[in-house]
Amino acid sequence: MKSVGVKAAKGSIAAEAYSMITEIMHLDNGFDDLSNKDRKKQRQLVLQDKVDAYFEWVKLKYSQVTHNSTIGKALAYSLNQEEYLRMFLTDGKIPMDNNYAEQAIRPFTIARKNFVLMESDKGAKASAMIFSIAETAKANAINTYEYFNLLLSEIPKHQNDKDTKFLDALLPWSKTVQKKCPSRFKKS
């Protein structure tokens, strides 16, 4: 659709696929505020038939196009990935798309040019650790700045400890951290 433009693509197989996928995604977005259990139920009640219809449609259209064409390859991708593309229907925790993963790696892609300036393996490893901590904090819906403040104030207190059990309380999913570093973007 991008190569020929939206107007020119109207009525095409690509436009039909886009319309069906967009409808499924739009409906799934309506389940964002539900618990994982309820999201799974709603997906199975509302989306299962639409997903089944999409894959039936893909199989039909694939039999009608040249398999080496751009649209043929796109339809083949859907067919080859069907098991994985349906996975979101089986578990309310699984997102329908990979937007979260793409957002998590965006800082790395933006900073890639800066990484070539790392003069040592130790600097690169330190940078990787910091990015990892920051992304884990984001994934656990805590305030990243406050989390780094907490880590930098608490870890030095235990510098001479032989026992590292204190670290359990500093993990981003611990109740202590969740209370001390709440995200202002966290849903209530």
Side-chain angles (χ1 to χ4, degrees):
M1 286 178 56
K2 286 182 182 178
S3 63
V4 297
V6 176
K7 284 185 181 180
K10 191 173 183 177
S12 68
I13 293 173
E16 271 187 82
Y18 179 80
S19 176
M20 285 191 278
I21 294 167
T22 302
E23 179 186 10
I24 293 168
M25 291 184 85
H26 177 73
L27 290 168
D28 189 62
N29 288 341
F31 309 143
D32 283 352
D33 293 331
L34 300 177
S35 69
N36 292 330
K37 184 180 176 184
D38 290 339
R39 185 177 304 114
K40 177 184 172 184
K41 274 185 196 174
Q42 286 302 310
R43 283 175 170 176
Q44 290 175 346
L45 282 170
V46 177
L47 299 179
Q48 183 75 54
D49 290 341
K50 292 186 180 300
V51 172
D52 291 343
Y54 169 76
F55 282 106
E56 286 303 314
W57 176 87
V58 169
K59 289 171 188 164
L60 174 70
K61 294 300 178 183
Y62 187 67
S63 69
Q64 299 172 353
V65 299
T66 305
H67 295 182
N68 283 337
S69 67
T70 304
I71 195 66
K73 290 176 184 177
L75 293 170
Y77 176 83
S78 273
L79 291 174
N80 293 335
Q81 300 299 315
E82 181 176 359
E83 175 187 353
Y84 308 108
L85 294 171
R86 287 178 173 273
M87 197 61 65
F88 80 102
L89 296 168
T90 65
D91 188 337
K93 290 183 271 188
I94 298 174
M96 188 178 165
D97 56 35
N98 68 345
N99 287 345
Y100 294 118
E102 288 185 14
Q103 289 171 3
I105 65 168
R106 183 171 289 123
F108 296 103
T109 58
I110 292 171
R112 187 178 5 211
K113 290 182 181 175
N114 295 335
F115 291 159
V116 297
L117 301 175
M118 299 285 179
E119 293 187 19
S120 70
D121 287 345
K122 288 181 181 180
K125 286 178 184 176
S127 180
M129 284 190 271
I130 289 170
F131 271 106
S132 180
I133 292 168
E135 292 306 318
T136 304
K138 289 178 194 174
N140 284 277
I142 59 173
N143 184 310
T144 308
Y145 178 81
E146 291 301 325
Y147 185 53
F148 274 110
N149 273 342
L150 178 68
L151 293 177
L152 293 172
S153 63
E154 289 299 317
I155 292 174
K157 294 176 186 176
H158 300 276
Q159 216 167 8
N160 297 323
D161 289 4
K162 300 269 188 241
D163 186 10
T164 58
K165 290 222 184 245
F166 75 95
L167 291 172
D168 291 343
L170 295 176
L171 295 172
W173 48 85
S174 77
K175 290 181 182 178
T176 305
V177 171
Q178 291 287 322
K179 284 182 185 174
K180 289 184 178 180
C181 308
S183 172
R184 58 180 186 218
F185 303 111
K186 194 172 187 177
K187 292 179 183 176
S188 54

